[in-house]
Amino acid sequence: QVQLVQSGGGLVQPGGSLRLSCAASGMIFSIAYMAWYRQAPGKQRELVADITSAGSTNYADSVKGRFTISRDNAKNTVYLQMNSLKPEDTAVYYCYGVSHGNYWGRGTQVTVSS
């Protein structure tokens, strides 16, 4: 059974930083495509960043230069380092993985507010 267990998130002031983690189990992580999505209240879920099995990355324009996605295949974990956070980054963030199936984490709340 595949599980994506998220950690991190919380409340941070504008300009602050947070790191999200997503630990995968039950899947061949090294070949998995991994991504972070987010969904703000009243809005559709959107892709924030993704990373291929080869380590190629892609970012939404709104987070380029501020967020960094990375993976540690030895730990079966994908990370999202979020710097210079803005109130508009407030959302529930979801981990997503594709490896012989599509899988979602349960989501974690990120709130950017003073």
Side-chain angles (χ1 to χ4, degrees):
Q1 181 180 358
V2 174
Q3 285 190 309
L4 299 178
V5 179
Q6 298 181 217
S7 60
L11 174 64
V12 65
Q13 292 187 341
S17 297
L18 284 173
R19 188 176 83 156
L20 305 182
S21 300
C22 172
S25 61
M27 70 191 305
I28 306 175
F29 184 80
S30 61
I31 66 169
Y33 161 89
M34 300 298 297
W36 289 96
Y37 281 75
R38 68 185 180 188
Q39 187 166 19
K43 295 189 176 182
Q44 289 189 330
R45 193 172 296 190
E46 63 175 359
L47 176 67
V48 176
D50 62 22
I51 184 165
T52 68
S53 58
S56 296
T57 58
N58 175 60
Y59 297 91
D61 287 343
S62 59
V63 307
K64 279 181 182 176
R66 300 189 296 122
F67 291 11
T68 302
I69 189 171
S70 62
R71 64 192 297 157
D72 185 338
N73 288 343
K75 296 182 178 180
N76 287 2
T77 300
V78 62
Y79 304 96
L80 185 67
Q81 177 67 43
M82 304 184 292
N83 299 328
S84 302
L85 282 160
K86 305 175 181 180
E88 51 263 43
D89 294 318
T90 295
V92 177
Y93 284 70
Y94 296 91
C95 177
Y96 174 71
V98 180
S99 179
H100 302 296
N102 302 338
Y103 307 97
W104 289 95
R106 300 183 101 175
T108 186
Q109 178 69 45
V110 171
T111 302
V112 185
S113 175
S114 55

